[in-house]
Amino acid sequence: MKEADMNRSGEKEISRRTFVDWVIKGGLLVALAGVLYPALSYLRPVMRRGAISEMEEVGGVNDIPVWGGKKVIIGGSAVLIIRTPDAFKAFSAVCTHLGCLVDWDGQKREIICPCHAGIFDLNGRNISGPPPRPLPVYTVSVINNKIFVKV
Amino acid sequence: MWKRCYHWFNERFDLPKIQKPINDQLTKPLPGHISWFHTLGSMSFFLFISQVLTGILLLIYYHPTQKEAFESIKFITNEVYMGWLYRQIHAWGSNLMIIIVFLHMLRTFVTGSYKKPREITWILGVLLFVMTVIFGFTGYLLPWNQLAYWATTVGTEIAGAVPFFGEFLKTFLRGGTAVGGETLSRFFVIHVIILPWALFFIVIFHLFCVRYLGMSTMDKVGEEKKVKEGQGVPFFPHHVLKEGIVLFVLLGVLITLSVFSPFELGEKANPLQTPHAIKPEWYFLSMYQVLKHFPKSIGIFVLGLAPLFLLIWPFLDRTPQRHPSKRPVSMTIGILVVLSLVIFGVLGWVSETRIHVFGKTYDVDMYGKPHLVPAQTPPVQKDIAP
C-alpha cells in the first residue's frame, strides 16, 4: 500500500481513486449477474411444469381387449394401460433402466422392455434384466365405461 | 489489372509489412520426420469446412420443429436438386470426421507431441475431439426419425444418472420430461450455433499453438533443435502438396461413400414405440457396452474418467522421451485403450442380434455373449402389438 493511503495514525485509508475503482468493478459484476441470471432462468422454463393431478380420460373400456394393452401420453409422459379380466392397471411406460418404452406382451403376460431385455410382471415389478426399480404405478378409475388415469 | 489492384490496396495498407509474416509462415521449414500421418490435422480441418458448407445448404430447407423436421429432411432428400447428396456428405462427413480427429489424436499420442511445451495444444485438441463427438450426438437427433429419437432418449437418460444433479441435467437437456420438440430446439441450437462457433475459435487457437510452438520433433523434451532454414521439409510447397493429395483422396472417399452407401432416413419418430434393441451410433458403442456392466451411476463415473484422463495426460506422462519405442509404458496404455475400444465396440455392435458363424446360428445377449440356437428352431416371430 502506498504511503498516501495511510492516515496519520497509520491505519489503512482507501483513496478516492481506489474507492471509485471498486464501485465500478462491483457495479459491473452486479450488472453481469443481473444479465446472467435471467438468461440462465430463460433456459429452464419448461422445468417448472407442475404435476398433473387431474384425472385424464384415455378412452373407452372397449378400446382395450382383455389381456390387451394400450400406450397413451399423459402430460408429456408415456403411460401403459393393461386390462386384466377384473381390472385396469396403469404404469409409467418408461423403463427404469435407460428410458426406452416398455411393451405389453399379452401372451406371456409380462411387460417387456425392447432395449436390454428388461422384464416386469403384471404389478410393474422388475423381475428380470437390468431395470433397477419397478415401474411407477398410477391410479385407474372406470366411470361410465370410460377409463381415467391419474398421473 | 493485378498491378493496379495491388497498388490500390498498397496505398491504403502497408502490404509488404502484412506479407512478411505470411511468407514467414509459408516458408517455415518443418522437422524432417513429418510424414503422411501429419496430414490428419488438415484433414480434420477440411472435414470441418465441408460440414459447415453442407450444413449451411441443409439449413436452407430444414425446419427444426417436431412436426416438420422429418418431412423437411424427406423434402431435402427427395425433392431438392442434389439435396440427397448434401445430406449424405454431411452425414458421412460427420462419421469420417470422428475417425480422422481420433486418428489425429492417436498420431499425436504415438509421436509424443503432447509433451512440453505443447500441453495446451493437446488440451485444446482433446476439447475439439469431445466437441466433435457432441456434434455427432446433437446432429443425430435432427432428422427426427425413430433411431434418432430413441438414441437421444437413452443418451439423455444416461446423463440423468450423474450423481446429485443428473435429474436436473436430463431435464435441462431435454427441455422437458421426455424427448420432444423442446429437445429438438435445444439440440438444434447447440448443433448449428454454439458448437460451430466454439469449435471455430478453439481451432484457431489450436492452429496458432501448432504454428507458434512449431511442429514437434522426435528429440527429447528440452533438447529439441530448432529446424533451420533450408533443413527439414519446407511447409510450402512440400507439405502443402501432401495435404492437397490427401484432401483429394478424402473428398473422393466422402463422395463415394455418400453415393454408394447412403444413410437411410427410416421412420418418423414415434414417442409411443421403442424399436427393438435400440443402439447408439457406432462411436458410442464401446461406451454404451461398458455401461451395461455397471450400475448406472458407477458406469457414469467410469466413463467420465476417460475424457478427464485424456485432458490431463500430458501432466501424467512426464517422461522426456518422445520416440514410441522408448516409451513402453505410454505405448502399452495406448494400445490397451485402443484395443478395449475396439473390443467393447464390437461386443456392443453384435449384442442383442442374431449372428451366423460357420453355419451355426447364435443369439447374442446384451453383454455380447453368444448363445447357440438349435438348428431346427423356427425363426422367431415378432409379436404383433395388440
Side-chain angles (χ1 to χ4, degrees):
Chain A
M1 188 149 288
K2 280 179 283 173
E3 227 174 299
D5 292 343
M6 304 270 194
N7 65 10
R8 260 170 246 140
S9 51
E11 287 164 10
K12 282 185 199 168
E13 199 174 77
I14 296 169
S15 75
R16 184 174 309 188
R17 181 175 290 266
T18 322
F19 176 72
V20 172
D21 200 38
W22 278 110
V23 167
I24 291 171
K25 276 181 190 161
L28 279 175
L29 212 66
V30 169
L32 196 68
V35 172
L36 213 59
Y37 179 73
L40 284 178
S41 338
Y42 172 83
L43 292 174
R44 45 182 293 233
V46 278
M47 302 181 73
R48 273 184 255 122
R49 180 184 291 156
I52 298 164
S53 53
E54 299 282 306
M55 297 296 271
E56 188 106 352
E57 190 191 323
V58 295
V61 168
N62 296 325
D63 292 355
I64 310 174
V66 175
W67 292 121
K70 184 188 179 185
K71 271 184 276 181
V72 289
I73 290 182
I74 301 174
S77 44
V79 174
L80 174 68
I81 299 156
I82 297 165
R83 182 175 184 180
T84 63
D86 38 52
F88 286 93
K89 288 165 183 267
F91 305 101
S92 160
V94 181
C95 179
T96 50
H97 178 225
L98 284 176
C100 295
L101 282 203
V102 294
D103 291 312
W104 166 243
D105 187 329
Q107 261 116 48
K108 290 187 191 154
R109 294 187 186 161
E110 283 168 342
I111 301 168
I112 293 170
C113 177
C115 291
H116 301 109
I119 298 173
F120 302 86
D121 68 6
L122 201 51
N123 294 312
R125 280 189 302 250
N126 44 319
I127 49 174
S128 165
R133 286 186 309 278
L135 295 170
V137 184
Y138 301 130
T139 325
V140 191
S141 314
V142 178
I143 303 159
N144 293 334
N145 278 331
K146 283 188 178 121
I147 311 168
F148 291 86
V149 174
K150 185 179 174 183
V151 173
Chain B
M1 184 63 199
W2 163 245
K3 248 189 164 168
R4 277 181 63 185
C5 277
Y6 185 87
H7 186 69
W8 191 90
F9 277 104
N10 203 21
E11 277 180 330
R12 282 148 187 88
F13 305 96
D14 186 358
L15 285 183
K17 203 178 166 187
I18 298 172
Q19 255 169 348
K20 200 187 168 291
I22 297 176
N23 279 341
D24 285 349
Q25 285 300 317
L26 276 178
T27 53
K28 195 172 177 173
L30 306 178
H33 74 290
I34 292 291
S35 68
W36 291 97
F37 290 113
H38 290 76
T39 58
L40 286 162
S42 67
M43 279 161 95
S44 314
F45 188 62
F46 168 78
L47 282 170
F48 175 61
I49 305 284
S50 161
Q51 290 305 92
V52 169
L53 295 179
T54 47
I56 290 172
L57 289 173
L58 292 174
L59 266 180
I60 290 173
Y61 293 107
Y62 177 69
H63 299 185
T65 64
Q66 202 175 354
K67 266 187 189 158
E68 294 175 304
F70 184 81
E71 275 74 20
S72 64
I73 298 278
K74 219 172 179 173
F75 180 74
I76 291 170
T77 313
N78 298 333
E79 307 285 333
V80 189
Y81 180 70
M82 288 278 169
W84 64 274
L85 183 63
Y86 297 134
R87 183 172 100 82
Q88 295 301 340
I89 293 180
H90 197 73
W92 267 112
S94 72
N95 284 281
L96 288 182
M97 192 164 160
I98 285 166
I99 299 173
I100 302 278
V101 173
F102 182 80
L103 290 178
H104 178 43
M105 195 162 77
L106 201 62
R107 195 278 298 159
T108 314
F109 180 85
V110 171
T111 55
S113 310
Y114 54 83
K115 297 191 172 194
K116 193 187 169 187
R118 299 181 185 84
E119 297 97 326
I120 292 175
T121 321
W122 168 270
I123 289 172
L124 293 171
V126 172
L127 287 180
L128 289 172
F129 174 65
V130 171
M131 285 164 79
T132 309
V133 173
I134 301 176
F135 251 123
F137 182 64
T138 51
Y140 195 60
L141 177 68
L142 301 186
W144 204 250
N145 54 24
Q146 269 291 66
L147 285 179
Y149 183 91
W150 291 103
T152 306
T153 298
V154 172
T156 46
E157 193 70 37
I158 288 169
V162 174
F164 307 118
F165 55 95
E167 202 58 30
F168 170 82
L169 197 66
K170 184 173 91 182
T171 324
F172 185 80
L173 285 171
R174 289 181 176 178
T177 46
V179 174
E182 285 294 336
T183 322
L184 184 60
S185 301
R186 272 158 203 245
F187 277 37
F188 179 69
V189 170
I190 295 171
H191 190 79
V192 306
I193 297 287
I194 300 176
L195 281 179
W197 282 107
L199 193 98
F200 176 76
F201 285 111
I202 298 181
V203 164
I204 288 183
F205 199 12
H206 186 71
L207 287 176
F208 169 79
C209 286
V210 171
R211 280 271 137 179
Y212 183 79
L213 300 166
M215 298 279 271
S216 171
T217 65
M218 297 304 274
D219 302 320
K220 274 180 165 181
V221 171
E223 292 172 19
E224 276 189 276
K225 290 175 273 303
K226 209 172 168 250
V227 188
K228 285 194 200 84
E229 204 75 42
Q231 288 177 333
V233 182
F235 176 63
F236 186 85
H238 289 58
H239 191 65
V240 172
L241 207 58
K242 237 176 214 170
E243 287 177 330
I245 292 168
V246 168
L247 296 192
F248 264 103
V249 173
L250 183 63
L251 188 64
V253 170
L254 188 58
I255 293 177
T256 309
L257 286 170
S258 302
V259 172
F260 291 109
S261 176
F263 283 87
E264 299 265 340
L265 183 52
E267 287 169 59
K268 187 175 175 171
N270 177 3
L272 276 179
Q273 190 65 51
T274 312
H276 180 70
I278 181 83
K279 276 178 204 172
E281 277 274 72
W282 62 267
Y283 41 86
F284 288 119
L285 275 177
S286 51
M287 279 168 71
Y288 166 79
Q289 191 62 22
V290 169
L291 215 57
K292 288 178 183 171
H293 293 271
F294 297 98
K296 265 206 280 184
S297 51
I298 297 172
I300 296 289
F301 180 69
V302 172
L303 293 186
L305 282 180
L308 196 71
F309 266 109
L310 269 183
L311 270 180
I312 61 169
W313 181 250
F315 307 101
L316 295 177
D317 176 16
R318 313 203 60 131
T319 52
Q321 293 289 355
R322 285 189 211 274
H323 200 279
S325 62
K326 289 172 189 153
R327 294 158 50 219
V329 179
S330 289
M331 291 319 289
T332 312
I333 293 174
I335 290 168
L336 285 179
V337 167
V338 173
L339 269 181
S340 64
L341 281 178
V342 172
I343 290 170
F344 279 110
V346 170
L347 286 178
W349 179 266
V350 297
S351 69
E352 296 177 82
T353 57
R354 179 164 272 206
I355 52 170
H356 306 275
V357 186
F358 298 124
K360 282 182 179 159
T361 309
Y362 297 90
D363 268 335
V364 186
D365 68 9
M366 62 176 276
Y367 298 110
K369 213 161 140 200
H371 299 277
L372 188 67
V373 181
Q376 55 270 59
T377 1
V380 176
Q381 284 210 321
K382 273 231 160 174
D383 287 350
I384 296 143

